[in-house]
Amino acid sequence: MGVGGVLARAARAWLRHPRLAALTLTSLVIQQGFNTGLAFSLKLIVDSVSGKGGGPSLGLIVGVLVGAFAVAAFVSIAGETINAQAGALILNDARRAMYERLAGLGPGYFHEHSLADTLSRFTTSLKQLEAGYTGAFLNTMLVVISSLITVPLLFVLEWRLALITFAFVPPVALLSRRLLPSSVEATALLRRAETGIGDTVQEAVQA
């Protein structure tokens, strides 16, 4: 399964909890908006200190920054709590689906697969699922939100900066696609190694 497939499944998993998904998306927008506003405010502060007219006063800029920082800090803490709740619910949904699937399998499956291999589905596989459905998905959303906010601002401030940003996007995307198979293979090797250790321990206990 490619990156697009993982993101699509992650989106469906999040949509099962629409309230938490909406709150998480809102918190990401607010945090990224603050980060962009902070960078832009530094330009306004430099202009104010250097005596360039036409901008707000230094006191107003600092006051707005302090208030925005307080709001962003509160939203960040609340967002982490919401993300943890959503992640737990998504993993519980996955555990429930895996258990129902496992309960429907015939005895032949358990003769062909060791207990350690079955248990690894509920440990290593769930860790991979958590990394893709929560961590990677939220990072992708953060990149999308950041692009939607910062790219228009770059065009307003300096269009050449925006073009430079776009020039770096294809190489980064290509590099990510080249690194993905290696990451997937390394994860599969880790799961097989953990399964082998589990089989060894099981045989030692039963001996």
Side-chain angles (χ1 to χ4, degrees), residues 140-153:
T140 302
M141 291 297 100
L142 187 60
V143 171
V144 172
I145 293 171
S146 175
S147 299
L148 293 176
I149 294 176
T150 57
V151 170
L153 184 60

Side-chain angles (χ1 to χ4, degrees), residues 8-152:
R9 291 196 175 192
R12 289 195 294 268
W14 276 88
L15 289 177
R16 294 191 185 100
H17 311 282
R19 184 180 67 87
L20 294 178
L23 291 175
T24 299
L25 185 62
T26 302
S27 69
L28 292 177
V29 171
I30 293 175
Q31 293 176 55
Q32 191 57 43
F34 170 75
N35 293 334
T36 304
L38 176 62
F40 184 69
S41 66
L42 295 178
K43 176 182 179 301
L44 296 178
I45 291 175
V46 171
D47 291 342
S48 177
V49 172
S50 61
K52 295 181 179 179
S57 64
L58 180 60
L60 178 60
I61 297 173
V62 173
V64 171
L65 276 179
V66 171
F69 174 79
V71 173
F74 173 79
V75 170
S76 177
I77 295 173
E80 290 296 330
T81 303
I82 295 169
N83 293 345
Q85 294 176 353
L89 291 175
I90 290 173
L91 287 182
N92 286 339
D93 292 340
R95 289 188 182 98
R96 191 178 301 109
M98 292 173 64
Y99 178 78
E100 292 174 355
R101 174 66 176 170
L102 187 65
L105 296 175
Y109 173 85
F110 298 98
H111 286 293
E112 296 176 0
H113 296 79
S114 64
L115 177 61
D117 180 60
T118 302
L119 292 177
S120 69
R121 305 291 180 178
F122 289 86
T123 54
T124 306
S125 297
L126 279 178
K127 290 180 181 178
Q128 298 172 15
L129 189 68
E130 181 181 13
Y133 279 23
T134 56
F137 180 74
L138 292 178
N139 288 336
T140 302
M141 291 297 100
L142 187 60
V143 171
V144 172
I145 293 171
S146 175
S147 299
L148 293 176
I149 294 176
T150 57
V151 170

Side-chain angles (χ1 to χ4, degrees), residues 178-203:
R178 288 185 176 275
L179 292 177
L180 180 62
S182 300
S183 175
V184 173
E185 179 63 24
T187 303
L189 289 174
L190 175 62
R191 191 176 70 82
R192 288 196 292 268
E194 291 180 345
T195 300
I197 294 173
D199 290 338
T200 302
V201 172
Q202 182 182 358
E203 293 175 357

